[in-house]
Each structure stands twice: as C-alpha cells, then as structure tokens.
Amino acid sequence: MCDGSQAITPNIDRFKKRSVQFTECYTTSPHCSPSRAGFFSGLYPSQHNVWNNVEVDNTLSRGLYDGIKLFPEILKENGWDNTFAGKWHVSALEGPLDRGFDKVLREYISNYRRMKSSNSPQFLDWEEVYDNKDNMKLDDSKDFGEIVRPGYPKYHQFCADENPFGDGDTVKLVCEDIKNRKSDDPFFYYVGTTGPHDPYCPLQRFIDLYKDVDIKLPESFEDDMMDKPALYRRTRDCFKLTKEEHIESIRRYLAFVSMKIIFLVSSWMLLKRREY
C-alpha cells in the first residue's frame, strides 16, 4: 500500500520500487474543473479563469481566459496526433476538439455543452448517473448511504456497478484504438476515467478486496468544527452520513482507487508493448 495509504495498489507499489518519487505534491485547486484547467494549462485559477464547477448554475466562469494555450495544442503544433477519451470538464464552452485534440473516442459531456450542440461522441451525464436506481441499491437497506443535497437528486453515496460511469468502455475504446494505430507519428492519449468519484460504485470484485480491511476514520472525524469557518460545517451538513456509512463510503472509494489503477495500467501496458 503506497505511502501508508489503505488503498491496495500492487502495481503502483512495484513501480515505486524502481522509480523516482515526489513525496510532496500539491494541486493548484481542490476543485475538479479548476484543477483540470491547471493540469492542461500549467496555470493557477487566477491565471486561467476557471474557479469552480463550470457546469453548475452558480459557476463563477464557464471557461478559460482568451489567449490561454493548453499543452495538447502545443503538441499538435509540433506534429503530434492527440486522442481524447473520458471526462473533460475544463470548459463548458469548448471541448477537446477545440483545444488540440484530433479525435474524441468518447466524452463524458455535460448538458450545457449538449444544448450548445457538439459533434463529440457522448455518453452519460449526471442525471443518468444519479437516477440509475438499479445501481443505487446497497444490499437490502434502501436508505443506507442515501444523501439528500439541495439542488441534486437523491442518491446513494456508494453501491456496486458493473461499469461505473462507463469507465470500462472508455478504457476498452482506448486500448482498441492503440492496437489499431497505423501511423508512426508521435501520439498522445488522454484517458480521463471519471472514477473514483461519488457515487462510489466499483466492481464487486474490487469491493471484496477490502471486505476484511479495518477502515480507519481520521482523527478529526468527531471534530465539531466550531472553531473552523462556517463553510466547513455547511459542507459537512450536506453529507449527513452515520459513522458506519462513512466507513462503507471510504471502503468503496478505496475499491474504486484499486479498480481505476487496474484500468489505467492496462492502457499503459498496451503502449509499452507497442513500443517494443
């Protein structure tokens, strides 16, 4: 388990033994969209203009400042063939094809850009994920892990799914595309699987990896946060789960981490076989 994490990551552990490790890493933002925009641009939110989720009604911005260049655009200018598959979530106004990618195999697209029309192959959106009642049940306890958040449909924080968010299909498409490549031009694939993301619904076999693991809650779990900013308490109150529900949520999240690493390693192995 890499660096003391409870996640079971045998492939990462093996890789760690023969690699250079960075023991301290920081994200430019803890929020999804600005972090993605920072990854693609190398800039802070104050420089690229994405501050929070670009798809919600109360977003601070829908996309990037004019003149911001993303690294796939630089690769394309230098003769690279760029392929995108998965979740974008950098801008609600532009998609991967607008930002240096030559081909989109599959995109987890928002309603906002769907209404704007898009030629990208599309799959899933939040309504389909949260409204999938068959996948939201956990055993026979209908209310165990259920969350009610203002502005969102009711959903369960964890469950089991044979193909959560369509991530398995995304990786399969990438693997097939790599195997069928004919050009010798340099190429770049961005594989943006959505998991691990709530609701935490990994394959059952990965959940079973953790059935005997003693999940530990952080020491701060019982903190009433009265000496913290009120925002912390409001955020906590949006996810009113019992101690047992939190433990199960962490178990499913860790299972999702293990599952995602297996998916991505399979793509990486295909690339290595292609090189040799």
Side-chain angles (χ1 to χ4, degrees), residues 147-176:
I147 288 179
V148 181
R149 290 176 63 192
Y152 288 80
K154 289 183 180 180
Y155 75 101
H156 284 77
Q157 178 75 348
F158 40 77
C159 57
D161 194 336
E162 289 303 306
N163 189 20
F165 303 107
D167 283 351
D169 296 332
T170 298
V171 173
K172 183 178 179 181
L173 281 171
V174 170
C175 291
E176 290 173 352

Side-chain angles (χ1 to χ4, degrees), residues 108-122:
Y108 186 109
I109 194 168
S110 69
N111 280 328
Y112 188 89
R113 272 192 43 233
R114 182 181 284 120
M115 289 187 294
K116 289 280 188 180
S117 81
S118 171
N119 295 322
S120 300
Q122 301 171 11

Side-chain angles (χ1 to χ4, degrees), residues 8 78 194 254 262:
I8 300 171
N78 286 274
T194 300
L254 292 172
I262 293 293

Side-chain angles (χ1 to χ4, degrees), residues 71 128 131 160 184 198 201 211 230 260:
F71 79 81
E128 292 178 56
D131 288 344
D184 290 327
D198 69 316
C201 302
K211 64 182 179 181
K260 179 168 184 177

Side-chain angles (χ1 to χ4, degrees), residues 23-237:
T23 57
E24 294 184 357
C25 183
Y26 301 90
T27 180
T28 55
S29 170
H31 207 169
C32 175
S33 291
S35 184
R36 289 169 181 271
F39 170 78
F40 277 109
S41 67
L43 301 173
Y44 290 105
S46 58
Q47 297 171 299
H48 60 54
N49 192 44
V50 178
W51 298 92
N52 61 336
N53 189 334
V54 294
E55 307 291 352
V56 296
D57 291 338
N58 64 345
T59 187
L60 297 174
S61 70
R62 292 287 180 197
L64 302 156
Y65 280 132
D66 291 340
I68 298 298
K69 182 173 284 190
L70 306 186
F71 79 81
E73 296 175 273
I74 299 172
L75 291 177
K76 185 173 183 177
E77 290 172 0
N78 286 274
W80 285 63
D81 178 32
N82 303 322
T83 303
F84 182 94
K87 187 175 181 180
W88 172 244
H89 222 204
V90 174
S91 169
L93 307 174
E94 302 172 296
L97 294 174
D98 302 309
R99 286 295 185 163
F101 286 96
D102 304 287
K103 180 168 61 174
V104 172
L105 298 178
R106 202 163 190 252
E107 185 186 352
Y108 186 109
I109 194 168
S110 69
N111 280 328
Y112 188 89
R113 272 192 43 233
R114 182 181 284 120
M115 289 187 294
K116 289 280 188 180
S117 81
S118 171
N119 295 322
S120 300
Q122 301 171 11
F123 71 101
L124 290 179
D125 60 27
W126 280 120
E127 289 184 7
E128 292 178 56
V129 172
Y130 285 119
D131 288 344
N132 190 344
K133 300 298 188 301
D134 290 337
N135 288 339
M136 292 300 104
K137 295 177 183 177
L138 180 67
D139 303 322
D140 295 324
S141 182
K142 192 167 79 172
D143 297 325
F144 188 65
E146 186 178 71
I147 288 179
V148 181
R149 290 176 63 192
Y152 288 80
K154 289 183 180 180
Y155 75 101
H156 284 77
Q157 178 75 348
F158 40 77
C159 57
D161 194 336
E162 289 303 306
N163 189 20
F165 303 107
D167 283 351
D169 296 332
T170 298
V171 173
K172 183 178 179 181
L173 281 171
V174 170
C175 291
E176 290 173 352
D177 202 69
I178 292 171
K179 286 191 290 187
N180 294 329
R181 286 195 67 84
K182 300 292 191 289
S183 172
D184 290 327
D185 291 339
F187 60 90
F188 166 66
Y189 279 81
Y190 179 85
V191 188
T193 57
T194 300
H197 193 295
D198 69 316
Y200 303 130
C201 302
L203 288 163
Q204 185 63 48
R205 63 188 175 95
F206 290 97
I207 298 170
D208 292 342
L209 282 176
Y210 293 87
K211 64 182 179 181
D212 297 322
V213 174
D214 181 20
I215 302 298
K216 300 186 186 308
L217 293 171
E219 293 181 4
S220 60
F221 182 77
E222 304 292 349
D223 188 349
D224 62 13
M225 293 192 283
M226 294 308 295
D227 59 341
K228 309 291 191 306
L231 174 63
Y232 289 24
R233 297 190 293 278
R234 289 201 303 271
T235 302
R236 176 200 58 198
D237 292 343

Side-chain angles (χ1 to χ4, degrees), residues 2 11-22:
C2 191
N11 292 318
I12 292 293
D13 294 343
R14 283 196 293 269
F15 179 69
K16 177 184 171 185
K17 292 178 181 177
R18 52 190 178 90
S19 63
V20 175
Q21 300 154 49
F22 295 91

